[in-house]
Structure formats: C-alpha cells, structure tokens
Amino acid sequence: MIALDHSLIAAGSSDAITGDVLAGLAVILAVAFVFARLFKRIRQPTVMGEIIAGVALGPSVLGLLPGHPVDVLFPADARPILQALSQLGLVLFMFGIGYELDFARLRGTGRRVTVVSLSAMALPFALGAGLAVLLFPWYDKSQLDTDGVLAPALFLGAAMSITAFPVLARIIVEGGMQRSRIGAMALACAAVQDFLAWCVLAVIVVIATASGPWPLARMVLESALFLVVLLCAVRPGLRWLLAPERPWAVGSSLIHTVLVTGLLVSAWSTNEIGLHAVFGAFAFGAAIPRGRIEAQAPEVAERIEQTSLFLLPVFFTVTGLSVDLGGLGGHGVIMTVTVVLVACAGKFAGATASARLSGASGPEAMTLGVLLNARGLTELVILNVGLGLRVVDSRLFSAMVVMALVTTFMTGPLLQRLGFHDEFRTAPVSRKNAENEV
C-alpha cells in the first residue's frame, strides 16, 4: 500500500512537471512569435526578436514584475527538461551551420578574404583577451572553475572575434546583397572566422576541463580520433550508403534517419570526450557528403532546420534566464559599456583597415566592417558554452549578451545610415530563393 502511494505521488509529480513544461513551451513560442513579427516590421532579422523575447522572459524584464512570474512560468522542476530541449535545438542548429559551411566556396577567394578574415579575428581576439585580464579582478571567483586568467582570457578573445554567420547571411539576403561581391566576400570571411573561432573554442574547452597533462592529452587524442573517424569512415560510408544505385536509396526517409541519428551520435561523442555537444553536431554537418544529399533529398536538411528553428526560442529563453541586467551593478554597467565598445572597435577596425590595405574601396571596406561586426545567435552559443565551463561569471555573461544584441541590431540601420546599403544592392530575389540562400 505504501509502495502504491509512492507510485501515485511520483505519477502526480511527473504529470505536474509535464504540465509545467507544456505551459512554458506555449508561452515561449507565443512570445517569440510576437517579438519576431515586431522586429520584422522594423526590418530586423526575426531571430533578433526571438532573442529579445528570451531575455524579456527572464529576470531582466519579466522578473521585475511582482509575484515572481519567472518562477511561476518556469518552475525549477521544469527547467532541466527545457534545458534538454534547448540543447536539442542547439545541436540541430549547429548541424545546419556545419552543413551550410561550403569549403569549396572558400577556394580561390583570394588574398583579400584571407587577410580580412585573419585581421578581423586577430584584433578583436587580442583586445578581448586583454580586456579579460583587466576585468579579471571584478570577476566573481565563486562562479569560476579556474584560478588563473588564461582560460577566461582565451574565451573572451574567442567570443569577441566571432561573426554570426547565419544572421549575417539573413541580413545580406534581406538586403539583396547576396550576389554582390561585397556580400559574397562578407559571407566567406564570416565562414573562415567562425571555423577558426570554433577551433580556438575547442582548445579552450580542453584547457578548462582537463585537470592535468594526461587528461589533456587524452582529450586531444580522442578529439583527433573523432575527426579522423568522421573524415575517413563516416563520410566515405555515407557516400556508399547514399549512392543513387543503391536499392534502398529511394525517398528521403532513410537519409533523414541517417542524418538525425548521425548528428545526435556525434553530439553525444564530443560530449563524452569532454567537449561540448555542439562540436560534434557541427563537425558531422561539415563532414557529410552534401552534394549527394542535395541531389537525392534536398528537403531533408530543410526539415532538420525547421525543427531547430522551432526549438531555438527555448534556447533563447533558457539563456535569458541566466541574464539579469538589473543585477549588473556599477561594475557590471562598466563591463557592459566596455565590452560593447571594444567589440565594435576591434571588429570594425580589423576588417576595415585590412580590406582597405588589400585593395578594397573605402565604401567596400566600411561596409565589410559593419557586416562582420554582427554577432547574433552564434555569440549566444559560445557564451553558453563558456557559462557551462565556468570560465565567465554571470555579470560578464550578461554584458556579452547585450554586446551580441547591440552589434547585431546596429548592422542594418548603420548600413543604411552610411549610405552603402543601396550601392551594393542587387536585383531582388524571390522569397523562396532568399530562404534557400539563408
């Protein structure tokens, strides 16, 4: 009888948690939709509205109301499930980023892309690392898992040097610049920078999580083995499995199952190695034979993308629950202003000066600097990795989220304000083609 009572209590508790999760998802999706529509009206990427919605549902806005509405909407028992859903959306999204990263497009792009990419990453990285050293005395050491400044400095440098490739692609497409030389160059530079930034972030993860020389060496070896398996076994295996002459390679169900299973296994593998799950999903997306999939079932990648876009508002809200702008304090406000100024100056100066020196015109160089300054969604992914690694405290995390929002929000208006938006505009494309470009 006692055992039966316990089972009934557990079932009731499980039903209550399920109800809380469903109610929370309903609120998240509805608020994200409203904000996305509002931002679309002011000619901002819809993803910006979804990010703002996530922050608004956290302690920074909703938490200011009486009655603890954040805890009511997202109770403690429901948050682990929301966290799991957010991570699922994140790994699906990172698979899409890797899938769209076309290395062939980078071949022959010339000296200018190489110079601009490295300069627009090196200067913000150096400034970010230096800023971390200066701000380190203000860090809340109880929120860090490291005593030294090396990991926080490397992390802040990597976070400062990132460019939001997917958001940048959307800005370029919506501005009709995707077929222009400056638009293609900006996308190529962003792809190179993001690839290098993820490599640096992987090194930071190894440094932050390894507790000695052997764990560090083991993590490096396992990571290298994972990449070797992807390139030498998984990629050729998928080429063979998905060959048009195979009797089972008909329809999209097999390809869909293989891709989703592969990206989840890859995400699990890097998580077990000690890296974040996003690395595995990203690497799997970059390694698969894209041409074969596009030839047989191009709709599969779009389905996975749509699923990730459905779950990303959950990720934004989970991120927003960690952002408390009201709790920044005096030091936090100084951190925020400094981070925004250093991020803008480093990226804009690095891109503009290197583009100008490599032969670009003044308008081209300035336009490129403005475009590459957008951080957006990719920045939030990196910041969540850093928060999970405990190499950044909550105040700096909040400051960096503000920086990501400011740098992305200012891109479109600044292009129009400077008068370069129309100069590089190409013929308008259909909505379907624009969505495919993004």
Side-chain angles (χ1 to χ4, degrees):
M1 186 69 179
I2 295 177
L4 181 60
D5 289 341
H6 282 306
S7 65
L8 290 175
I9 293 173
S13 176
S14 177
D15 289 342
I17 294 174
T18 301
D20 290 336
V21 171
L22 294 177
L25 285 174
V27 171
I28 291 170
L29 296 177
V31 174
F33 176 81
V34 171
F35 273 73
R37 289 294 179 179
L38 290 175
F39 271 70
K40 189 175 182 179
R41 284 182 174 273
I42 61 174
R43 297 184 178 181
Q44 286 288 335
T46 54
V47 69
M48 279 294 296
E50 295 174 352
I51 295 172
I52 294 293
V55 175
L57 287 173
S60 297
V61 179
L62 189 62
L64 300 178
L65 300 177
H68 306 287
V70 176
D71 295 331
V72 173
L73 286 176
F74 312 111
D77 290 341
R79 292 191 185 188
I81 300 178
L82 293 175
Q83 173 71 19
L85 290 174
S86 76
Q87 292 303 303
L88 176 59
L90 190 57
V91 296
L92 292 175
F93 173 78
M94 290 308 299
F95 163 81
I97 297 299
Y99 182 81
E100 295 295 336
L101 186 59
D102 188 358
F103 291 100
R105 183 183 295 180
L106 302 180
R107 298 192 193 114
T109 51
R111 179 175 59 90
R112 187 181 301 170
V113 169
T114 303
V115 171
V116 172
S117 299
L118 295 179
S119 299
M121 182 176 179
L123 183 57
F125 186 94
L127 292 177
L131 182 62
V133 175
L134 293 176
L135 296 178
F136 192 69
W138 288 358
Y139 280 38
D140 185 351
K141 304 302 189 298
S142 65
Q143 299 181 20
L144 304 181
D145 271 351
T146 176
D147 295 328
V149 73
L150 177 60
L154 291 176
F155 172 78
L156 193 58
M160 286 285 196
S161 60
I162 200 73
T163 294
F165 182 84
V167 175
L168 177 63
R170 188 171 298 184
I171 292 173
I172 288 175
V173 170
E174 291 179 358
M177 302 169 64
Q178 71 276 10
R179 294 193 183 98
S180 67
R181 181 178 62 176
I182 197 67
M185 184 176 174
L187 289 175
C189 291
V192 173
Q193 290 176 37
D194 279 11
F195 176 74
L196 294 176
W198 283 109
C199 292
V200 172
L201 188 61
V203 173
I204 296 170
V205 172
V206 172
I207 293 175
T209 56
S211 56
W214 166 241
L216 177 62
R218 180 187 61 81
M219 193 176 295
V220 171
L221 290 174
E222 289 178 348
S223 301
L225 179 61
F226 170 76
L227 293 177
V228 170
V229 170
L230 271 185
L231 295 175
C232 299
V234 174
R235 184 178 175 86
L238 288 177
R239 283 186 178 277
W240 177 86
L241 180 67
L242 303 178
E245 62 271 15
R246 306 297 173 205
W248 55 76
V250 178
S252 61
S253 58
L254 171 66
I255 297 177
H256 196 176
T257 302
V258 168
L259 292 189
V260 173
T261 302
L263 75 90
L264 292 177
V265 170
S266 298
W268 170 82
S269 299
T270 52
N271 191 66
E272 288 296 304
I273 289 172
L275 298 173
H276 198 280
V278 296
F279 291 106
F282 174 81
F284 181 78
I288 60 175
R290 175 180 173 181
R292 187 148 294 179
I293 295 169
E294 290 292 325
Q296 296 186 57
E299 70 277 7
V300 170
E302 184 177 350
R303 289 181 199 164
I304 297 175
E305 179 187 7
Q306 291 302 318
T307 305
S308 73
L309 294 178
F310 176 78
L311 291 174
L312 275 179
V314 184
F315 168 71
F316 298 142
T317 300
V318 171
T319 301
L321 293 176
S322 301
V323 177
D324 185 5
L325 301 180
L328 285 175
H331 286 174
V333 171
I334 295 174
M335 278 184 173
T336 303
V337 174
T338 306
V339 162
V340 172
L341 292 177
V342 170
C344 293
K347 184 67 75 172
F348 185 78
T352 303
S354 58
R356 197 77 177 94
L357 292 174
S358 61
S361 66
E364 284 181 330
M366 295 186 71
T367 300
L368 194 60
V370 171
L371 288 171
L372 293 181
N373 191 42
R375 265 67 171 205
L377 174 57
T378 312
E379 183 73 37
L380 296 186
V381 177
I382 287 185
L383 290 177
N384 274 271
V385 173
L387 191 64
L389 293 173
R390 294 173 64 88
V391 295
V392 60
D393 66 357
S394 59
R395 281 192 308 182
L396 187 58
F397 176 82
S398 298
M400 293 294 289
V401 169
V402 172
M403 181 271 289
L405 296 175
V406 170
T407 56
T408 307
F409 188 86
M410 67 190 292
T411 301
L414 191 56
L415 285 174
Q416 296 176 359
R417 181 71 176 176
L418 295 176
F420 304 134
H421 193 264
D422 292 332
E423 181 176 347
F424 302 109
R425 185 187 295 273
T426 59
V429 294
S430 67
R431 179 179 178 182
K432 180 178 180 181
N433 288 337
E435 290 174 350
N436 289 337
E437 289 286 347
V438 175

